[in-house]
Amino acid sequence: MPGLVDNCDAGFVMSMPHMTAPADGATQASAHRVRVAVETPQHAGMADVLDYLAEAELPPGTLLRVPLGRRELPGVVWPGEPSAEEAANALPAGQLRPVREALLALAPLPPAWCQLVEFTARYYQRAIGEVALAVLPPELRKLDNTGLAKRLKRLHKQMGLPDPDAKPKKRRKADLQPEPEAVPEVPASPPVRPALTTEQAEVLARLSPQFEAEAPACHLLFGVTGSGKTEVYLRAAEQALAAGRQALVLVPEINLTPQLEARFAERFPGRRLVSLHSGLTPAQRLQNWLSAHEGHAELVLGTRLAIFCPLPRLGLIVVDEEHDPSYKQQDGARYSARDLAVYRGKLERAPVLLGSATPSLETWQHARSGRYQLLTMAQRVGQGALPAVRVVDMAKQPTPGQGQEAPALCPPVLAAVRDRIERGEQSLLFLNRRGFAPVLNCGACGWKSGCPHCSAWRVFHKLDRTLRCHHCGFAERVPKACPDCGNLDIQPVGRGTERLEEQIATLLQDVERPGGGSVRVARIDADTTRHKGSLEEQLAAVHAGEVDVLVGTQMITKGHDFRRVTLVAAVNPDSALFAADFRAAERLFASLLQAGGRAGRDAEAAARSEMWVQTWNPQHALFAALKAHDFTAFAASQLAEREMAGLPPYSHLALLRTEAREGPVAEAFLQQARDAAQAWLKTHGGADVMLYAPVPPPVAKVAGLERRQMLIESPSRGALQRLLANWLPELHVLRSSLKGIARWAVDVDPLSI
């Protein structure tokens, strides 16, 4: 969805009555009316910016504690004047409730932050108060002024900053004596900066003028894996810091944060660097947020929520692996951090750098059209070659005997792995499915390990002998016999990373490492990295050469610099090739190209590095493009198909999702919502907006709730937004009139349909 910034002034805020709570008996004569953004209940039909009375005039962005009903909630003084409708519905000052407390210990949130939040709420069809409060640290929302002042004092002490509230000490007689001559400090050696490649130097030369430009552009850094994109990020951040500005660097997942943080800390010793992600404790997250908000932190690294971190001197935004779907929030306000980064860069006049070896097709189209500046790095650092891609036709491989399971690796791939072990090199096996097996099956009666709460199978995890649903989390012990017929012989069907790890260890048990000893197989996935520090420990073992074969999911296929890996094998990519989502091929190509990019990152071993792909569909055009490492050709073919089908980036989508205890109830809600939308379009003219019939998603039931969805499509972003803004108030009314609806939500620019 890059390009949404073109509509930032279109005025899509939905109109709702301006309601406030009754007064608490405060003195009205000297009070000031303030507009406050609070998180109001959706079903109440209240505006999310309410009027309160304050004893003094408060600047916009000030944090408050305000009453709402019987509760006391956090709020933010919101900028701007009320609309004509709000002014007409406003209550007189005598009926307004007073602000309980203003958190004056903290500097007000900057105007640019308020604009970013308001745009997010407007575009993604959420309430301003909901977005504004949700993106603040949870710990901050609980504090009063006294507690906040203590946190700030503690922060200043940890950073060695003077306490602004401290009284000056009286000078004693001893203090008047001349101080001994200071011993000059030995300057620390400057950090080592690798020499730039020709392509890196050219990219930075094009970026440099952007730090002085009145309206900096958004750039797509399209660089093959191993081309040195991180070094470009470091040099760009260096330029921002030299200009006295702050740099914000976004990564798609928490597991990429520590290693990138280490790179930045090594390059910028003495600079204040903080991280923001959900892996931090509430206290750590608040401290890092305060450090950034007050301007003390010069470098901020984080996942998608960090896009809302207030930075008073923002000078650069980097979005690493910009194509990654993790940048899209999947609950609440379903925003895209990548797209908001583009908007924020334009808003705060900071250059934006989107980096990827496999850009999203929306971003790629914007770069082709000239909306974004395209920066290309087509060569690996050290002139290393990309791994040779070999596609194996599984239909031509030996078939197992009756009752036997096919081996995890076909003979050519297994031979390649053995060869790497004998040379003291590492192999990486990529299978994007965790657990031991996707399902348990009874051959006698056909029973399968389904989830009683979801329309999905429970995955067999052998390590703890459980059947676990990856949708609702329901787990129980593996039955000793088939629950339906009592058959003792229930078998796992399919293969996950846990089973692949076990089978690989068996297949390689006769292989001896060069220094002696058995082959060392390790697995990295969500199950093996649950505990704090476990991921860092396992990655350190891989980097140290203590692992010969690494098995893992997509966690290990992006952002990691494995210098000893010379072989990557994709074990079963076909499961993602024919998914119902129109983005399936794009995602698979990105995953495979990123996985292959882990091999041959050491220039000396690049010539003998390989990627093997086991597939039953070798004739698919995706694999031809993969063999040539040709993203450009793949993107051109996909964009041609999208244009013919009228799919993004050539159209704009929204999904109305609903959940209910019974499927017919969910369908009735969507059908009535569709009728209401079509009636509005007929009255106001909206022939270019298409509303499809309600359908169930691929997993139609989760945690006991039936799910249904309805797609809305339009070639015009403005037409789609106008419909949504006028339609949502009717949906609130419709929701209250139907019994049995658990929840509903609108997803603008959905990543999957």
Side-chain angles (χ1 to χ4, degrees):
M1 183 200 66
L4 61 82
V5 295
D6 301 332
N7 296 295
C8 61
D9 296 320
F12 294 138
V13 178
M14 59 184 178
S15 175
M16 296 181 70
H18 194 76
M19 298 178 65
T20 53
D24 278 354
T27 302
Q28 309 295 332
S30 59
H32 297 263
R33 183 189 291 261
V34 290
R35 302 175 73 236
V36 181
V38 293
E39 188 171 1
T40 57
Q42 286 191 353
H43 64 270
M46 300 171 66
D48 54 344
V49 178
L50 307 178
D51 283 352
Y52 286 88
L53 289 181
E55 294 181 356
E57 192 169 348
L58 298 172
T62 302
L63 288 178
L64 307 171
R65 304 289 302 178
V66 297
L68 184 66
R70 296 181 179 179
R71 299 180 297 159
E72 182 177 291
L73 301 176
V76 182
V77 177
W78 209 250
E81 297 297 325
S83 66
E85 182 181 355
E86 288 176 333
N89 294 327
L91 294 175
Q95 297 183 33
L96 298 179
R97 301 182 73 176
V99 168
R100 292 279 169 84
E101 184 179 26
L103 277 62
L104 299 178
L106 185 71
L109 294 159
W113 183 88
C114 295
Q115 287 180 263
L116 177 65
V117 166
E118 189 160 346
F119 174 76
T120 303
R122 187 168 66 231
Y123 186 83
Y124 293 102
Q125 302 299 327
R126 309 298 294 194
I128 292 175
E130 176 192 3
V131 177
L133 278 303
V135 301
L136 294 176
E139 197 77 0
L140 179 63
R141 302 197 294 264
K142 301 175 184 177
L143 294 176
D144 58 12
N145 202 49
T146 303
L148 184 55
K150 289 180 180 178
R151 297 297 181 98
L152 287 168
K153 188 173 182 178
R154 188 184 312 161
L155 175 66
H156 292 166
K157 185 176 180 180
Q158 290 176 348
M159 290 190 165
L161 300 171
D163 183 358
D165 299 325
K167 296 180 180 179
K169 295 182 180 179
K170 293 182 178 180
R171 301 189 68 184
R172 300 172 299 172
K173 187 174 182 180
D175 296 332
L176 301 177
Q177 301 298 323
E179 296 182 2
E181 186 176 347
V183 179
E185 294 184 4
V186 179
S189 56
V192 178
R193 301 198 309 169
L196 293 174
T197 66
T198 302
E199 290 183 329
Q200 287 174 328
E202 291 174 353
V203 163
L204 288 165
R206 291 181 60 186
L207 270 176
S208 294
Q210 295 294 311
F211 291 96
E212 304 295 333
E214 183 68 21
C218 178
H219 304 77
L220 169 61
L221 179 58
F222 172 47
V224 299
T225 54
S227 61
K229 293 188 289 295
T230 302
E231 182 62 28
V232 173
Y233 303 155
L234 290 166
R235 298 290 182 110
E238 190 176 79
Q239 289 185 279
L241 296 184
R245 311 286 291 278
Q246 295 168 291
L248 172 63
V249 181
L250 300 182
V251 294
E253 296 179 8
I254 295 174
N255 67 73
L256 296 178
T257 308
Q259 62 181 32
L260 193 62
E261 188 174 355
R263 290 283 301 273
F264 272 82
E266 180 183 10
R267 179 61 61 88
F268 301 106
R271 298 282 193 173
R272 291 193 176 96
L273 166 67
V274 299
S275 59
L276 287 171
H277 53 77
S278 59
L280 301 173
T281 65
Q284 289 172 331
R285 182 174 162 188
L286 174 60
Q287 177 174 296
N288 292 353
W289 186 92
L290 289 172
S291 179
H293 171 60
E294 294 216 322
H296 304 315
E298 298 161 290
L299 293 156
V300 177
L301 275 64
T303 49
R304 60 177 176 259
L305 193 62
I307 190 58
F308 292 102
C309 178
L311 297 161
R313 306 186 314 278
L314 181 61
L316 173 70
I317 302 177
V318 173
V319 184
D320 190 27
E321 307 291 359
E322 67 84 28
H323 66 278
D324 198 286
S326 299
Y327 284 120
K328 181 71 186 287
Q329 175 80 4
Q330 293 301 319
D331 52 28
R334 299 173 184 241
Y335 62 86
S336 167
R338 176 201 63 197
D339 299 335
L340 291 180
V342 176
Y343 174 78
R344 186 172 185 181
K346 185 175 181 179
L347 180 68
E348 302 201 43
R349 297 180 180 178
V352 178
L353 191 57
L354 310 176
S356 179
T358 54
S360 68
L361 293 185
E362 289 86 350
T363 299
W364 182 249
Q365 175 66 4
H366 286 310
R368 289 200 327 162
S369 67
R371 181 173 290 174
Y372 297 168
Q373 291 189 12
L374 179 61
L375 308 173
T376 303
M377 296 196 303
Q379 299 294 325
R380 282 187 152 186
V381 173
Q383 300 301 310
L386 291 165
V389 178
R390 309 188 186 283
V391 178
V392 182
D393 187 353
M394 296 300 288
K396 297 180 180 179
Q397 298 304 307
T399 55
Q402 187 174 4
Q404 295 181 336
E405 184 185 18
L409 301 181
C410 63
V413 178
L414 182 59
V417 173
R418 287 172 173 265
D419 179 59
R420 276 9 185 237
I421 295 171
E422 291 168 358
R423 289 207 299 254
E425 297 170 355
Q426 293 175 326
S427 301
L428 187 155
L429 306 183
F430 169 48
L431 176 61
N432 204 26
R433 176 178 286 160
R434 61 189 174 99
F436 189 85
V439 64
L440 284 185
N441 175 62
C442 173
C445 70
W447 171 86
K448 289 181 174 60
S449 55
C451 176
H453 311 295
C454 307
S455 54
W457 307 119
R458 279 180 296 164
V459 177
F460 172 39
H461 290 259
K462 187 176 181 180
L463 188 63
D464 56 4
R465 302 293 299 175
T466 62
L467 292 174
R468 196 181 310 157
C469 178
H470 290 176
H471 294 277
C472 71
F474 176 72
E476 62 181 6
R477 301 287 296 174
V478 174
K480 296 180 179 179
C482 173
D484 288 352
C485 70
N487 177 27
L488 296 176
D489 187 21
I490 50 177
Q491 297 292 330
V493 178
R495 182 181 293 114
T497 50
E498 190 178 341
R499 190 177 195 184
L500 179 60
E501 177 190 24
E502 180 181 285
Q503 292 177 332
I504 293 301
T506 302
L507 289 170
L508 300 175
Q509 61 185 351
D510 61 332
V511 180
E512 187 172 311
R513 297 172 49 247
S518 58
V519 175
R520 299 163 301 184
V521 181
R523 171 169 56 97
I524 294 181
D525 56 25
D527 295 324
T528 65
T529 57
R530 290 179 181 174
H531 303 296
K532 186 175 182 179
S534 58
L535 176 61
E536 290 81 0
E537 182 180 340
Q538 293 177 69
L539 288 175
V542 177
H543 291 301
E546 299 170 3
V547 173
D548 300 308
V549 180
L550 177 62
V551 176
T553 58
Q554 63 178 355
M555 288 179 65
I556 60 173
T557 64
K558 52 194 173 187
H560 300 292
D561 189 21
F562 298 130
R563 309 300 294 182
R564 292 180 171 86
V565 171
T566 59
L567 172 70
V568 172
V571 176
N572 181 27
D574 288 359
S575 59
L577 189 59
F578 299 107
D581 191 353
F582 70 91
R583 287 190 173 93
E586 176 187 356
R587 288 184 182 143
L588 178 59
F589 184 84
S591 294
L592 294 178
L593 201 64
Q594 293 281 346
R598 300 314 107 199
R601 298 178 78 87
D602 184 87
E604 294 181 3
R608 60 177 181 273
S609 296
E610 296 177 327
M611 179 183 189
W612 291 77
V613 181
Q614 298 184 161
T615 176
W616 294 88
N617 302 277
Q619 72 285 350
H620 198 284
L622 181 149
F623 296 117
L626 183 67
K627 289 173 72 173
H629 294 276
D630 195 347
F631 171 82
T632 303
F634 173 78
S637 67
Q638 287 292 301
L639 285 171
E641 291 181 12
R642 300 266 186 98
E643 188 172 19
M644 286 189 294
L647 292 169
Y650 302 100
S651 67
H652 307 282
L653 306 178
L655 269 181
L656 175 59
R657 294 187 169 101
T658 187
E659 298 178 6
R661 289 292 176 187
E662 299 177 0
V665 175
E667 291 174 11
F669 173 81
L670 292 180
Q671 189 57 57
Q672 292 183 41
R674 185 178 185 224
D675 294 341
Q678 288 176 331
W680 188 89
L681 291 170
K682 187 175 181 180
T683 304
H684 296 83
D688 53 351
V689 179
M690 169 75 74
L691 289 100
Y692 291 85
V695 295
V699 181
K701 183 180 179 181
V702 172
L705 293 175
E706 293 286 346
R707 307 194 300 172
R708 299 294 185 269
Q709 61 186 23
M710 181 173 66
L711 180 67
I712 307 101
E713 177 186 77
S714 176
S716 167
R717 193 190 301 276
L720 179 62
Q721 285 284 339
R722 281 189 293 275
L723 168 65
L724 295 178
N726 289 277
W727 188 33
L728 260 62
E730 295 189 49
L731 296 183
H732 286 286
V733 176
L734 178 60
R735 160 71 174 82
S736 61
S737 66
L738 277 176
K739 302 292 185 181
I741 298 294
R743 62 183 70 94
W744 63 271
V746 171
D747 187 359
V748 180
D749 299 325
L751 282 187
S752 59
I753 60 173

